[in-house]
Amino acid sequence: MVLASGLPFEKAKVNPNWPRLAYGPAPAKGQQAEREYLDIYLTEPVAADKVRPALEGVAPAGIQLLSMQRVPYALPSVQNLAAAARYRIEGDFAAYSPVQPAETFFNAARIDVVTRAENGLTFTQNAKPFVLEAKTLAPGRLGLTLACVDGKWFRPQTLLAAWLGIEIPPREEDLTLNEFTFIREGLFWRDSAGALHLI
């Protein structure tokens, strides 16, 4: 789209025929996303109301530009700006007979996530700093807002498994939970007062 748009794009270092782009945090394995994020670097200032039609005019079927804004070069990229992510998780939670309602588990003072290593030893991590909000949206639908802490993200699959009592394998990325759908609704940045805003 950038190549076909005619925009004055900055060239990528790896290949001068490609535009320089910076993608936001990608959804992890087993996750869907309602929106993706991309920084496009241009060689000269162009107003967002000029960039948008240039890209929309060459967008393939199925791609919709949700929002666009000009960002001063000195500001962090989306990758570094993202402070939280909101997920919608859908599935039959009741089938696992959770001991506690989701709100009780995730709003507790401590959220223990226990993983078992290949040698049989267990490792317990407190995931509370990563969980900003948990809310039952409807039967079989959970909203979960997770923070990025010291550059690390917690997978919603792992947290759901901890709540439902599903054993977490030594490598968390091997935890798939195919009977549930994990949808990242959006990424958020945090202002100086601590409030979150959708990027």
Side-chain angles (χ1 to χ4, degrees):
M1 288 169 62
V2 176
L3 287 172
S5 69
L7 292 169
F9 62 84
E10 185 176 319
K11 296 177 180 179
K13 292 180 181 177
V14 294
N15 187 328
N17 295 318
W18 296 348
R20 180 184 173 195
L21 308 172
Y23 291 90
K29 178 182 176 183
Q31 298 175 10
Q32 303 173 23
E34 291 185 345
R35 55 180 66 208
E36 292 287 352
Y37 298 84
L38 177 70
D39 289 321
I40 302 171
Y41 292 84
L42 304 177
T43 56
E44 58 188 68
V46 182
D49 61 357
K50 302 290 185 186
V51 174
R52 185 173 192 130
L55 291 173
E56 286 180 331
V58 294
I63 298 291
Q64 177 187 7
L65 297 181
L66 299 177
S67 66
M68 182 174 300
Q69 56 187 325
R70 184 175 177 274
V71 180
Y73 194 88
L75 287 185
S77 66
V78 175
Q79 182 75 31
N80 296 316
L81 188 64
R86 180 177 296 147
Y87 295 91
R88 187 173 71 252
I89 307 172
E90 300 174 351
D92 186 6
F93 310 131
Y96 286 85
S97 302
V99 176
Q100 303 172 5
E103 285 87 350
T104 303
F105 179 84
F106 288 111
N107 292 325
R110 181 179 175 91
I111 301 172
D112 285 334
V113 175
V114 181
T115 55
R116 186 176 301 279
E118 293 177 359
N119 61 8
L121 296 176
T122 59
F123 173 72
T124 302
Q125 182 178 1
N126 179 18
K128 184 61 178 180
F130 295 88
V131 179
L132 298 178
E133 183 184 41
K135 182 185 298 184
T136 299
L137 306 173
R141 183 175 295 179
L142 175 68
L144 198 59
T145 303
L146 305 180
C148 179
V149 179
D150 297 327
K152 181 182 176 185
W153 295 90
F154 227 102
R155 296 176 73 229
Q157 289 97 320
T158 304
L159 291 167
L160 184 72
W163 170 46
L164 297 179
I166 300 170
E167 185 167 338
I168 301 167
R171 292 180 0 123
E172 288 183 39
E173 57 269 26
D174 292 336
L175 180 68
T176 55
L177 302 181
N178 292 326
E179 65 270 39
F180 297 100
T181 302
F182 298 85
I183 303 165
R184 191 179 72 185
E185 296 182 335
L187 295 172
F188 295 79
W189 64 278
R190 190 187 301 275
D191 64 24
S192 58
L196 293 175
H197 306 273
L198 184 66
I199 299 176

